[in-house]
Each structure stands twice: as structure tokens, then as C-alpha cells.
Amino acid sequence: MEPINKPDYQHGYSSGVDGVDRDHYEGYLSSQISTDWLNERITEKRTELATTERQFAEATDAHRTAYADLQTHALQVDRLNRQVSKREADRQAILDARDALQARRTKAAPDYSLLAGLLFLVAGISFLAGDLIISHEIVAYALNIRNSDEAWAFAVGLAMVSILLKPAYDRLIEQPYQENPTQNRGRYERFKMALAVFAVLTLAVLGWFRYEAYRTDQLKAAINKSVRQLQLGNDPLAATPTLSPSVMNQIEKQLAESSELNLALVNSPWALLSFVLSGILFALAGAVCLGIALPVLSAFWFRWLQADIRLGKYRRRLRRMDKEMAPLDSELAEQRTQQNVLQHNLDLLPNLAELKTRIQTQTADLTHLLAELKLAQTDSRIGNFNDGYGQGAAVRSTLTDDEQRQLQRERLLATTNRPPRPAESATGSAADKPVNGKATAQRPYQTVRQFLSDQL
């Protein structure tokens, strides 16, 4: 298509023929193009804004629904978490108690076996029994207490001295050595050595006293045999044997020797040492044996009849708690899975803040485009007015006085009888089209009428 067929070319041709300033129509064309472009952009922006607002509304509803579903599972997860945390706290408390009890059980392991503890217990009881017998003999004969109950009561009191000495032995000797063997080894060894020396000395005294008692017993047996021989030496066939005065003197002499032997044995310092040392030894030995035996038995009592039973109870409680926690863990895992899925779906939804920011940006852009459109439309109308004004001024310069009066009457008549129409772009008339590259000459009056008709 050739450019001469376009309205802008025709209008430019007419303006050039009439000698109108070209800047007015150029400004009009520029503003009109800007207006059209702004209208297109405003339409696009309004479409984008409507789309974004629809997306925002849909995303808001989707967020609301997804958040409501998520809160349902979140509440379940929170409830199950509290239950599981409480069960785990109870389970941890049981584990701590079990570990503490196991540590106590391990620490309570005795240095001696159960058999050794029983042997020491039997030895301690034997020492107590021996001390009880010695004390009874001392009380009954030496103190001349003839009432049997009173004698035994006093003897039991004396025998319980071993029980009295046991705490002293435990706290001064045995317990410090068990707590710190390196530091208290010297005291422990000195006590054991002194006790061993005392025991050996006591056994030596008892051995010597037994020898004295055996020798006295043999001498008394020899005397008794001699007396019996003297009694049977006269006439064994006589019904009532009569002893001669010499035989009687010999018998009395033998009986006196036997009495002297008994008295010598009783008054022997070895007998005194035997009773004293054996009483002390039995008391000390009983205290030492009981001091060793009772902690051993107490340790085994605690380990087997207390700690092991309680550990068994802890194991049963832990198994029961594990069975109770299994369905809770399974349900919690399921609820967490559902929560993660819903959270993932919620994260996949459009970001409301971004959509809101986009709406604000698009609204601001639309406002800016509308302001630009206002300026473009203003410039377009001003350019159109200036172009029309120039066209009118050019035509007026070629009119005669009669043509000007006729033109004013027609304008007045048109203004009175016809309603005004919006101004249209002056595109030129067909009479202004060039023929074979040259403009056809028209009368000025007809040109004015055509221009006015186009404008009106």
C-alpha cells in the first residue's frame, strides 16, 4: 500500500498546501500513539491485576483450607508428643534408677564368697558359744552365782561383748581398709599381726595348761590305781575286807597327794592365763569373724534378695512401657507423616505475601499508566486543537469579507440547530488528494465549508 492512501499523508498534504505549522499535528500524532499504547498497556495491566487478584483469592482459600487440615494433625502430633515425652521421662527415670541400683549392686560385691561368709559366721557363733560357756563357768563358780537362770543371763551378757566389739572393729579396722586399702593397709596388717600373735600365745598357754591338766590327770589315775591295789591287797576273799592301819595311812597319803595335785592345778598360773586369754581371744575372734561374715552375708542378701528382685521389677516395667509406647510411636509417626504431607502441600501453594506484593506493584503500575494516559490524552487534545486552529487561521487568511460573514452565519446556525459532536481528527478531504502527484486547486470557500463540516 502506498503511503499517499493513508489518512496521515492526506492530512499532512492538506496542511502543507494550507501552510499550517507541522509541529501541531506531529505532537497530536505522537500523543495519540502514546494514548493507544497506554490503553493497550492499561488493558493488559488490568487483566494481569484481575488474574493476580483471582489467584490471591484462590490461594487464600487454599491456604485457609490447608492450614485448617494441618492444624488438626498438628494438635494430634502435639498431644501424642506430650504423651510420648511423659512416657519417655518415666522410662528414663526407671532407667536411671536401674543404673543406680546396678552400680550399688556392683559396688556391694564382697571380697569373700558366700561360702567363706558362712564359714566366718559359723566361726563367730562358735566363738560366742565358747565364750558363753567360759563365762557361765566363771559366773557360776568363781562369782558363786548358784541360780542357773541368773548365771546364764550374766554369761550371755559377757559373751555379747563380742557384739559390742564388732562395731569398733568395723569402723576402726575393716571399713577404712575397704574404703582405702592403700592408705590403711599398715593399720590393718598391724592389727592382724597382733591378733595372730595373741592367738598363738593364747594357744600356747592353753596347750601348756592342757599338758598340765593331762599330767595331773595321769598322776591322779596312778594314785587311784595305787589306792585300789592297796584296798584289794589284804584279803580279796573276805566279805568285808579290813584294812590295816599302815594301809590306811598309805591310802590317806595317796588321797592327800591327789588333793594336792588338784589344788596345784587349780592354783596354777597357767590356768589363770588360759581362762583370761581364752576369754579375750574368743571375744576378739568372735568380733572379727562376725565383722567379716555379716557384711558378706549382708552384701549377698542385698544383691540376691533385694537388688536382683528390684532389677527384675524394673525389667518387667520397662517391657510393659515399651509395649504401651509402641502404638503411640506408630500413631505419632503416622500423624507426623500426614503433617509433613500437608505442610509440603501448603508450601507448594502460592505465597500470599508475594501475590499481595504483586497486586500492589500492578496497582501502582496501573495508576502510573493512568496518569500517563491522562497526560497523553491532554497532549493529544491540545495538539488536535492547535492543528485545527492552524487550519482555520490558514483558511481565514484566504476568505473574502462576504465569505467570512457567510461562514459566521453558518457557524451560528449550526451552533443553534445542531448538537455539538466530539472533535475528530482532521484527516483531510478527498478533494485534497493529489492527482498524478499534484494537488487540485479548490476554491477557498468550498475548502472552508469542507473543513467545517469535517470538524462538526
Side-chain angles (χ1 to χ4, degrees):
M1 181 182 295
E2 297 180 358
I4 60 175
N5 296 324
K6 293 185 177 180
D8 294 335
Y9 175 84
Q10 297 296 333
H11 187 81
Y13 184 82
S14 298
S15 298
V17 172
D18 296 334
V20 180
D21 190 2
R22 58 187 293 179
D23 293 336
H24 300 308
Y25 191 70
E26 288 179 356
Y28 166 74
L29 289 177
S30 177
S31 300
Q32 188 66 31
I33 292 172
S34 297
T35 301
D36 296 339
W37 183 85
L38 288 172
N39 284 324
E40 292 177 359
R41 300 288 82 75
I42 289 172
T43 303
E44 293 177 358
K45 192 61 67 175
R46 283 175 175 171
T47 303
E48 292 178 0
L49 181 60
T51 302
T52 305
E53 289 177 346
R54 185 180 68 256
Q55 291 177 354
F56 181 78
E58 293 175 354
T60 301
D61 295 338
H63 272 272
R64 187 181 295 109
T65 303
Y67 188 76
D69 295 338
L70 180 62
Q71 287 304 307
T72 302
H73 292 281
L75 291 175
Q76 294 295 328
V77 169
D78 185 63
R79 179 181 63 82
L80 292 173
N81 269 330
R82 289 197 299 270
Q83 293 182 359
V84 171
S85 298
K86 184 178 182 302
R87 297 294 179 87
E88 288 180 350
D90 296 339
R91 188 175 186 276
Q92 187 62 39
I94 295 176
L95 289 175
D96 294 339
R98 185 196 66 181
D99 295 340
L101 184 59
Q102 287 180 345
R104 287 180 56 194
R105 186 181 185 279
T106 303
K107 187 178 180 180
D111 296 333
Y112 298 94
S113 64
L114 179 61
L115 180 60
L118 293 175
L119 291 178
F120 277 110
L121 179 64
V122 172
I125 295 174
S126 300
F127 284 122
L128 285 177
D131 194 16
L132 179 64
I133 295 172
I134 295 175
S135 299
H136 182 266
E137 293 298 326
I138 293 173
V139 168
Y141 297 102
L143 299 181
N144 198 20
I145 298 177
R146 298 305 177 184
N147 189 301
S148 178
D149 295 334
E150 294 177 357
W152 279 112
F154 197 86
V156 170
L158 290 178
M160 290 297 106
V161 174
S162 298
I163 306 300
L164 177 63
L165 294 177
K166 178 186 175 299
Y169 168 76
D170 291 340
R171 296 176 183 178
L172 296 178
I173 305 299
E174 190 69 23
Q175 185 175 357
Y177 176 73
Q178 291 180 354
E179 293 178 353
N180 193 348
T182 304
Q183 183 178 357
N184 299 297
R185 184 180 299 275
R187 180 193 300 178
Y188 187 79
E189 290 179 352
R190 286 193 298 272
F191 176 80
K192 291 296 184 181
M193 186 63 67
L195 185 60
V197 171
F198 182 75
V200 171
L201 180 62
T202 302
L203 291 176
V205 171
L206 288 174
W208 185 263
F209 178 70
R210 283 198 300 269
Y211 169 72
E212 289 290 335
Y214 175 75
R215 187 170 64 85
T216 301
D217 186 66
Q218 292 297 321
L219 291 175
K220 287 172 62 178
I223 291 173
N224 291 332
K225 184 178 180 180
S226 176
V227 170
R228 191 177 300 108
Q229 289 178 354
L230 290 175
Q231 289 176 350
L232 296 176
N234 282 334
D235 189 5
L237 298 178
T240 56
T242 57
L243 300 177
S244 61
S246 60
V247 174
M248 290 295 296
N249 290 332
Q250 291 180 358
I251 292 174
E252 290 177 358
K253 185 178 179 180
Q254 294 290 333
L255 292 177
E257 290 179 358
S258 178
S259 299
E260 290 177 357
L261 290 174
N262 288 331
L263 185 61
L265 182 63
V266 172
N267 294 327
S268 173
W270 299 108
L272 176 62
L273 288 175
S274 298
F275 273 95
V276 172
L277 295 178
S278 61
I280 296 174
L281 179 62
F282 281 17
L284 291 177
V288 172
C289 290
L290 292 178
I292 295 175
L294 293 181
V296 172
L297 297 179
S298 176
F300 280 102
W301 178 274
F302 170 74
R303 287 166 61 88
W304 291 355
L305 299 179
Q306 292 183 354
D308 289 346
I309 294 177
R310 290 174 63 185
L311 288 175
K313 291 181 179 179
Y314 288 151
R315 285 193 294 270
R316 289 191 293 272
R317 289 180 63 184
L318 288 174
R319 286 196 296 268
R320 185 170 62 253
M321 294 183 69
D322 291 338
K323 291 180 180 179
E324 293 175 354
M325 287 183 64
L328 289 178
D329 292 336
S330 177
E331 185 178 359
L332 178 60
E334 182 179 356
Q335 292 294 334
R336 280 179 175 171
T337 301
Q338 294 295 330
Q339 183 184 13
N340 293 333
V341 170
L342 292 175
Q343 184 65 45
H344 180 69
N345 294 335
L346 184 61
D347 295 337
L348 292 178
L349 293 176
N351 194 339
L352 294 179
E354 294 180 357
L355 290 176
K356 189 174 182 180
T357 303
R358 190 187 304 173
I359 290 174
Q360 294 175 353
T361 302
Q362 291 174 352
T363 303
D365 293 341
L366 182 60
T367 303
H368 178 72
L369 290 175
L370 290 173
E372 292 292 333
L373 178 62
K374 177 183 177 181
L375 295 177
Q377 288 177 345
T378 302
D379 293 340
S380 176
R381 293 184 64 181
I382 291 173
N384 194 14
F385 172 78
N386 291 331
D387 184 65
Y389 185 83
Q391 291 283 350
V395 172
R396 182 179 180 182
S397 63
T398 60
L399 294 178
T400 62
D401 293 337
D402 294 334
E403 289 174 342
Q404 291 181 3
R405 284 192 296 271
Q406 181 66 27
L407 178 61
Q408 290 176 357
R409 285 195 297 271
E410 290 179 357
R411 289 184 63 190
L412 180 61
L413 181 62
T415 303
T416 304
N417 297 330
R418 292 196 305 176
R421 294 185 299 176
E424 297 177 355
S425 299
T427 58
S429 62
D432 295 333
K433 294 182 181 179
V435 178
N436 298 325
K438 296 182 180 180
T440 58
Q442 294 183 349
R443 292 180 58 192
Y445 181 74
Q446 294 177 349
T447 304
V448 172
R449 290 180 59 87
Q450 182 65 35
F451 176 76
L452 290 176
S453 65
D454 293 339
Q455 296 297 322
L456 297 176

